[in-house]
Every structure is written in structure tokens, then in C-alpha cells.
Amino acid sequence: MEFRILGPLEVLEDGHQVPLGGSKQRALLASLLLHANEVVSRDRLIDELWGASPPDTAPTALQVYVSQLRKALGRDLILTQPPGYLVRVSDGELDLHRFEQLVATARAEEPAQTAPLLREGLALWRGAPLAELGDSFARAERARLEEQRLAALEQRIQADLTLGRHAELVPELEGLVREHPLRERLRGQLMLALYRCGRQADALEVFRSGRRLLDEELGLKPDDELQRLEKAILNHDPSLESPVVAGAERPSVALRRRASSRTNAPPPDSVAVIDQERSRVVGHVPVGRRPVAIAIGHGSVWVANADDGTVSRIHQDRHEVIRTIGIGAPAIDLAVATDAVWVANGSDGTVSRIDPSADVVVETIDLRGSSELVWNPTYAVDADDDSVWIAAGPHHVLRIDPTTNESSAIIDVGHVPVGVALGEEALWVVTTAERALRIEPHTSTATAEVPIGYPVALTAGKQAVWVSDSLGLVWRINPDTATVSQTTPVGRGLVGLCATDGVVFAANNADGTVVQIDAQDGQVVGLVPVGHAPTDVASWGGNIWVSIQSESAM
């Protein structure tokens, strides 16, 4: 005999449904099956069947319903045991027990085995449990069952994410988030799936809409895990990459073997120092937690540490941190001007100004005052003596006047800007619409639009603008003609870029290397292994400076 409560109540014998009688008899059997092989007291059964005001005839009616169920199912199935009754169910007869056994087995397996086991368990569900018995019937037990189903579903989705099935999960997760908008694990899984599909802007919008909903409905903020995920997406954290990814074409195996023979890997949460002529690591400097960006100026190397909310100032010659400056926000990018170091503070929606003569924050500019910019982060920053340019959500680039620390222009770029860089004659912006925009600084208007891949990093050299994308290509853009002049396949995992006169350096956090690209012909001419997950790169004083974080920063 087969008993089903994961949906409408059903009992099958030899594949045929057994008639169970009216609603009270069905509710009685359901109550017993919810506690199969356990004694359920008469008082509790009466409460379940008639509520708080049962008739005087309830005890007698209960006995009649038990008798009728015994006729339908067999006299040995429902036993009388003080102070009530017990339904006896063998292994495999109750769908709830089979579901729980499959879930328990799946927890101990690898993802490749976990996913099919959970699919088998979830396939036992035929709808809302016992819904035909009314909303008030066994409300707490049915809520518990629904929670078990959702937890198993999240576990199965997590296994599928681990197996690299993010693209096929997106439609399913979008429906689930609409159905369960306050369930933060599902929302986080959708964010991760979208990010792995190259849809960073959509992933961040899922976070923002969830944050608004939590605030409006419950007066709460997203939990710590969801906030960490948002930070990781903003920073292109290598731990978010799918464990199963078909990489783009990579430099030759021989080149990689030569590089690996020179390994002198520094620890995570440090800045590696590479001798540019010898193409090898010659030292490292410990910095704060999860360094994500580097800039050069004022005789120092400046490093943004996202998890610490600090900026480290490194002495060029002594190779040591001479000051740690607290920002109080998740610093994710920085730029150096003549009299200031500017720091973009990610999800905090602010920009901090550091006075390099005093090594202190002298101004924090809140960019969330505009209703158009509320709840949106600052993604990137670049600066010169005349202006500070900030990439900010949802689809704007802001211009700050450094003499007043106030906004002097807001440029709508149509989509989320993930990077800004000042070139010789123009500001360049890359967006999630897979476009690079050339903006005329004096008029703050876009004068050209260049199709590229989904952008990750951007740098402007003297003769070209360079963009790395999510598929592992480096794009060379002619700034005069606003056209792509070459692309170089390097492999997934590219993050930071730095252009010198002859060489472009790219930090590859997927395989722990710094890639050297000939700026003229676009060929990969060298690889320097630095280990762990490099995030940004800068050139100065004959050295290449590389920020390095742990492979599992999340």
C-alpha cells in the first residue's frame, strides 16, 4: 500500500486509489499520517477535525471514522493505543518518508550525485500538501513540510550551480524569487546564476529590489551573506566563478610551463612586486583583507582593501606599508590626483577623499541624495586635477568638482557602468550593454560607442584603450577612430589591466598569473605566476605591483 501526503491525500493499492470517504475521515487519516508510527491522542485528533469548539458527539464520531477507515484500509493498519490511535506504515510506503530519506542521502554525496537524488525526492511532490483539507487544517505541520521542500529545492539548485548549470537555472530561479520574494537564499542563488551568465547588472538589480522589499515589508536589511555576495559581484571576486567553466583559448602550454618554473608565490592579502625586466616576483607587501584595486601617486602605491574598508599606502623603495587609512566602507576602487586620493566605496554609495599630505579622509561624498541614484553603488573612479569621474548605478557617470566636492554633471550612459578611465583626450566608460563609450570631458556628452564583450576591467594608455571581458578577451580600441583594432584571447578570469608604452599587463585571478601582452601586435609575450587570485595591477619604477587576495574570498 502507498500513502501520499505531499499533495492531495491519496492511498494506492496495486496502483489503484482507495476510496477514503468524506472530508472528516480524510482529515483523520492525514493527521495520523503526518505522525506515522506515532501515537496521536484523541484530544489532538478532535482539535484537528473540529477546532476549538467540537460538538458533544465528537468522541463518538471519531470512533466511527476510525472504524470506517479500517474497513477501507485493513483492520491492522490503524491501531488503538492509549491515549489515541497510531497508523502503522512500513519503509517506503509513505511519500514523506521516502522524500526525507533521499534528502538525507543527498547531503553526504558529491554534487553530481546530490542533484539527481534531490530531483527524485522533489518529484514526489504533487502540489501543496493536503491543500484540499482547508487552510486551517494542520497549519503548522503543513508549513513545516513546505519548508522542507524549499530547503531541498535550494540544496538541489546549489548542486546544479556547482555543476556549472547557471544558464539553465536562471528562468527557474526568476520564477521562484517571484513566488518567494523574501527568501534570501533563493535571491542569492539567482544573483550568482545571473553573474555567471555575464549579467552583472541584472544580478545587482536583483539585490537592490530585494533590499527595497525587505525595507518596505519588514524594516530589515539583507542578511550578511547576501551583502557579501553583492560586494563580491561588484569586485568580480574569483570565488564566484563556476567550478565547471569552458575557458577561452589560452596562451600556449609551453609558455605556461616556463612561467610556472619561476614561481615565487606571495601570500594572499598582499601586493606582489614583479621586476619588469626579469618578469619574476621579487617581493611582496602584506596589506589589508581582500585588496581589490591599486593606484600610483605621491611617491607611493595605494591599495584599496574591500573587506577591511581601508586603504594601504606602500613606500615605493622600502616595500612596506607606511600608513593604513580607515575608510569605514567597502573600498573597491581608487584614483590618484595631484592633491587627493579618491576612493569609490561600492555598496555604500559614497566616495571618500584622502589628503595624501596627512593620510586622512577629509571628505566623504554621499551620492545617494538623488532619487535616481538611491540604493545604488559606486563601481569605479578616475580623476585628474579638474574632475573626478565616478561610475554609479543604475546607469550614470557622475562628475565631481574637486574644488567644491560637489557634483557638476550627471551623465546617463544607458546601462550600468562598470569602469571609467581617463585617456589623452576623452573619458572612456564601459557598460553592461557590452559597449565602450567615449565621452568628451568639456561637454560631458558621449561622442562614440564601441561594441565590445561583457566588460570586466578598463585602462587607457597613451595610444590605445584596453578592455578585458568576462570571456577572457582583451580588446584594443583606437581612441581616435573609436574602433576595435585587435583582440587577444587570454582565458577567463581577467580582472585588472595596466597599459605601459610597450606592454599591457592583465591580472588573471583564475590561474594566479599576470599576463604580458605586446601593445603593438596583441600577442601574449609572458606570464608571471603570483599565485592565489590577483585582482589589479599597476606599473611604476621598473616594477609591476599586483594586489592578491585568497582564491576563496567568499
Side-chain angles (χ1 to χ4, degrees), residues 396-420:
H396 298 91
V397 171
L398 283 78
R399 184 175 189 169
I400 301 293
D401 183 341
T403 63
T404 64
N405 293 335
E406 294 182 355
S407 174
S408 60
I410 299 178
I411 307 167
D412 191 334
V413 293
H415 295 82
V416 175
V418 296
V420 291

Side-chain angles (χ1 to χ4, degrees), residues 15-315:
H16 300 289
Q17 283 200 33
V18 177
L20 299 175
S23 60
K24 284 288 193 286
Q25 279 182 215
R26 297 174 64 83
L28 170 60
L29 179 59
S31 296
L32 293 170
L33 288 171
L34 284 167
H35 306 278
N37 300 319
E38 299 176 11
V39 176
V40 184
S41 71
R42 291 181 178 85
D43 289 343
R44 181 169 182 176
L45 291 170
I46 289 172
D47 286 343
E48 290 285 5
L49 269 60
W50 286 281
S53 302
D56 294 339
T57 58
T60 301
L62 178 64
Q63 292 178 344
V64 172
Y65 296 146
V66 170
S67 177
Q68 291 172 338
L69 285 173
R70 283 170 172 164
K71 289 179 182 178
L73 304 174
R75 300 198 61 82
D76 295 335
L77 190 71
I78 299 177
L79 307 178
T80 301
Q81 287 192 12
Y85 301 97
L86 172 150
V87 63
R88 186 167 58 189
V89 174
S90 301
D91 272 354
E93 289 186 334
L94 179 62
D95 58 357
L96 173 59
H97 287 174
R98 296 202 302 278
F99 169 74
E100 291 174 336
Q101 289 165 359
L102 286 165
V103 170
T105 302
R107 288 196 186 101
E109 298 292 342
E110 295 297 318
Q113 290 75 44
T114 293
L117 285 169
L118 291 172
R119 281 192 175 84
E120 182 182 348
L122 290 163
L124 297 171
W125 287 76
R126 296 166 292 111
L130 308 172
E132 82 280 13
L133 299 178
D135 291 340
S136 61
F137 173 75
R139 184 173 294 166
E141 286 85 353
R142 289 162 61 190
R144 175 180 58 83
L145 293 181
E146 181 63 16
E147 176 59 32
Q148 286 182 261
R149 183 187 74 84
L150 285 171
L153 184 59
E154 291 169 342
Q155 188 181 349
R156 193 226 83 210
I157 289 169
Q158 194 61 44
D160 283 335
L161 282 170
T162 303
L163 295 169
R165 295 170 180 160
H166 39 271
E168 62 195 75
L169 285 171
V170 167
E172 178 186 8
L173 280 165
E174 287 176 333
L176 288 168
V177 169
R178 283 193 297 270
E179 187 180 353
H180 306 281
L182 297 177
R183 200 166 181 94
E184 292 182 89
R185 189 179 185 194
L186 287 174
R187 188 171 293 274
Q189 289 173 327
L190 175 57
M191 290 168 61
L192 182 57
L194 288 167
Y195 176 79
R196 288 180 177 174
C197 290
R199 296 169 60 184
Q200 181 193 24
D202 293 333
L204 292 170
E205 178 54 35
V206 169
F207 175 82
R208 286 192 289 265
S209 62
R211 179 167 56 182
R212 285 192 295 267
L213 185 66
L214 283 167
D215 182 49
E216 292 166 2
E217 296 284 331
L218 303 174
L220 298 175
K221 294 181 179 180
D223 64 19
D224 290 344
E225 184 174 348
L226 210 60
Q227 292 187 58
R228 283 195 297 270
L229 177 57
E230 185 224 14
K231 287 182 186 178
I233 289 172
L234 284 168
N235 295 328
H236 296 281
D237 193 307
S239 69
L240 301 184
E241 290 296 327
S242 172
V244 182
V245 175
E249 180 185 348
R250 292 176 179 266
S252 70
V253 172
L255 186 59
R256 289 179 179 273
R257 284 175 178 167
R258 289 199 300 272
S260 65
S261 68
R262 301 192 298 268
T263 300
N264 181 21
D269 294 337
S270 69
V271 170
V273 185
I274 297 173
D275 184 296
Q276 188 168 342
E277 287 190 4
R278 292 185 290 166
S279 293
R280 61 177 297 173
V281 175
V282 294
H284 72 272
V285 184
V287 290
R289 283 196 59 218
R290 203 156 63 88
V292 294
I294 288 185
I296 306 294
H298 301 284
S300 301
V301 178
W302 302 81
V303 186
N305 306 302
D307 283 359
D308 279 355
T310 63
V311 169
S312 299
R313 183 173 186 173
I314 299 173
H315 192 282

Side-chain angles (χ1 to χ4, degrees), residues 292-378:
V292 294
I294 288 185
I296 306 294
H298 301 284
S300 301
V301 178
W302 302 81
V303 186
N305 306 302
D307 283 359
D308 279 355
T310 63
V311 169
S312 299
R313 183 173 186 173
I314 299 173
H315 192 282
Q316 175 194 6
D317 298 321
R318 299 207 304 266
H319 292 186
E320 63 182 33
V321 173
I322 57 175
R323 198 79 69 228
T324 298
I325 304 164
I327 304 297
I332 67 167
D333 195 24
L334 72 173
V336 178
T338 300
D339 60 354
V341 176
W342 296 89
V343 186
N345 293 326
S347 57
D348 196 55
T350 60
V351 176
S352 296
R353 178 175 185 159
I354 296 173
D355 181 347
S357 65
D359 287 336
V360 295
V361 174
V362 293
E363 187 80 22
T364 296
I365 305 170
D366 193 336
L367 303 177
R368 298 168 299 178
S370 164
S371 60
E372 288 187 339
L373 301 179
V374 71
W375 294 117
N376 289 287
T378 52

